[in-house]
Amino acid sequence: MAAPGGLSAPAPPRGHAATAIRPFRMADLPAVAALRRRAFARSERTRPGALEAYLERMFLGHPFAEAGIASLVAEDAAGRVVGFQGVVPARMWYGARPLIAAVGTQLMVAPEARGLTGRALARALFDGPQDLTLSDVANDAARRLWEGLGGAPVPWLAESWTLALRPWRHRANRRVIAGAGRLARAALYGARPALAVADRLAARPATLPAGLRFAPLDADAMAAAADRLLGDYPLRPRYDAPELRWRLHQAAEKREFGALEGAMVLGEEGVTGWFLYYRNDAGECEVVQGVAARRDEATLLEALAAHAWARGGVALTGRLGPSLLGPLAARRATLCHEGPSVVCQSRDAAIRGAVARGELWLSRLDGEWWMSF
């Protein structure tokens, strides 16, 4: 069974292995949608035609096409689609040098063609004209595949953090998740008044730092401020307003983690930063992105906590960035190593060195984590 970014690899039966890798095109939509339904146990898009429409939008209709960078399909000798590698271009900077990245997603292979087909698709992805190739939800099989083809994991981006805002409710939520039973959920509902009292005694309300205010997300203002805010990171996204607007719109459709929340943070001199997070019905919040100058990351974390607290947030969970350890430690956040790997590949030694030195800034919005297949 395939998983996001990965696959198992028994030897393929004779006659079904892929014989050609070519760019994905509109006519492939029904076959790729059918392949995904076979390869993945679940989908967020179950209505007839919904998955096909989303595949078209993500891989053929995005607003930042780059020459030579396309999703890929594998065909067998009979011309049947037996494999797929989704690719979404992303623009980046390395210092003042513009780069093109390719985000690989949804690597999947028909059961009868597993084996060399997945490796051939990954190799074809790496051979594209992009400067950097990345995936941020690679399972162990995908990570090993990438490493075998010259890619490397980004260790610090495999770490996650959790900041409890209402610690007693958060502990109760974790017990319900572990129990996953109707009685556990009913017990939590009945205990909410007592847990609220305990949290009022155990935790201070999160407040917005003085001199700052929230404003609605605005793609134009965010794009205009991005280079100033992220300029301390040599390897970073190169945003423009249409791309950001598209990403925000698509991310809002993902419902696995709840409703998408977010705000810009404004100070006396304009945009100080912004953040995005999903908040579910239990108040658990998954951070998608937090953008601020390196010197202001602690302030942004306080603003994020204040925003989530005011909306009933119980805890914030996010991906560790290179300079977040200090602010998180000050707030007594917990760290853990869990979930999928972030893996990168580049033919450029300077880019590989920048990744290895921790000079890459990458949020969940810049990879495939937020996509809602």
Side-chain angles (χ1 to χ4, degrees), residues 193-229:
L195 293 171
V197 172
D199 281 329
R200 282 197 293 272
L201 296 174
R204 61 180 176 84
T207 58
L208 183 65
L212 300 179
R213 60 186 176 87
F214 293 129
L217 294 171
D218 182 307
D220 293 286
M222 293 157 67
D227 285 343
R228 172 175 57 84
L229 298 176

Side-chain angles (χ1 to χ4, degrees), residues 65-318:
E66 295 290 341
I69 300 179
S71 298
L72 303 166
V73 295
E75 290 182 329
D76 66 9
R80 292 172 295 202
V81 173
V82 293
F84 176 75
Q85 170 68 75
V87 182
V88 178
R91 300 183 178 112
M92 300 190 73
W93 292 109
Y94 180 41
R97 172 187 162 196
L99 304 181
I100 299 300
V103 177
T105 181
Q106 300 294 299
L107 174 60
M108 47 190 163
V109 176
E112 66 273 14
R114 288 178 184 165
L116 297 180
T117 301
R119 186 179 180 87
L121 281 164
R123 170 56 68 191
L125 168 64
F126 292 171
D127 287 344
Q130 66 272 8
D131 302 285
L132 174 68
T133 310
L134 62 93
S135 170
D136 70 336
V137 292
N139 61 14
D140 287 341
R143 177 183 52 77
R144 290 192 298 269
L145 175 63
W146 280 55
E147 288 178 319
L149 293 172
V154 186
W156 72 88
L157 289 178
E159 305 291 330
S160 64
W161 55 269
T162 297
L163 174 60
L165 303 176
R166 292 175 167 89
W168 288 99
R169 279 279 303 279
H170 177 58
R171 290 172 192 167
N173 285 343
R174 290 179 63 85
R175 290 188 177 183
V176 168
I177 292 171
R182 184 177 298 176
L183 289 177
R185 290 192 295 272
L188 173 61
Y189 184 82
R192 279 189 173 186
L195 293 171
V197 172
D199 281 329
R200 282 197 293 272
L201 296 174
R204 61 180 176 84
T207 58
L208 183 65
L212 300 179
R213 60 186 176 87
F214 293 129
L217 294 171
D218 182 307
D220 293 286
M222 293 157 67
D227 285 343
R228 172 175 57 84
L229 298 176
L230 297 176
D232 288 339
Y233 296 93
L235 190 54
R236 62 194 187 278
R238 178 163 49 105
Y239 291 134
D240 62 29
E243 176 183 351
L244 269 175
R245 195 172 293 114
W246 184 85
R247 287 181 183 271
L248 293 173
H249 178 75
Q250 304 305 325
E253 291 194 5
K254 189 178 183 72
R255 295 297 179 182
E256 179 182 352
F257 300 112
L260 185 66
E261 304 268 8
M264 293 194 304
V265 182
L266 305 184
E268 293 182 359
E269 299 181 1
V271 178
T272 299
W274 69 81
F275 50 78
L276 299 165
Y277 62 93
Y278 292 105
R279 179 176 55 84
N280 68 17
D281 291 341
E284 301 292 332
C285 304
E286 286 281 352
V287 180
V288 182
Q289 185 179 64
V291 175
R294 192 187 289 260
R295 67 181 181 277
D296 293 328
E297 287 186 338
T299 300
L300 185 78
L301 183 64
E302 292 298 318
L304 168 60
H307 193 274
W309 173 278
R311 285 152 182 79
V314 169
L316 292 159
T317 298

Side-chain angles (χ1 to χ4, degrees), residues 342-360:
V342 177
V343 286
C344 294
Q345 187 270 353
S346 178
R347 296 181 291 271
D348 189 317
I351 295 174
R352 294 198 302 272
V355 174
R357 291 189 299 270
E359 296 175 353
L360 167 66

Side-chain angles (χ1 to χ4, degrees), residues 28-104:
D28 298 320
L29 282 168
V32 171
L35 177 62
R36 193 190 188 285
R37 293 187 184 100
R38 294 177 64 195
F40 291 83
R42 61 174 295 277
S43 173
E44 292 187 36
R45 299 173 184 277
T46 57
R47 297 194 312 274
L51 181 57
E52 288 86 342
Y54 190 67
L55 290 167
E56 178 183 355
R57 193 187 326 159
M58 294 301 298
F59 300 123
L60 297 172
H62 53 68
F64 37 94
E66 295 290 341
I69 300 179
S71 298
L72 303 166
V73 295
E75 290 182 329
D76 66 9
R80 292 172 295 202
V81 173
V82 293
F84 176 75
Q85 170 68 75
V87 182
V88 178
R91 300 183 178 112
M92 300 190 73
W93 292 109
Y94 180 41
R97 172 187 162 196
L99 304 181
I100 299 300
V103 177

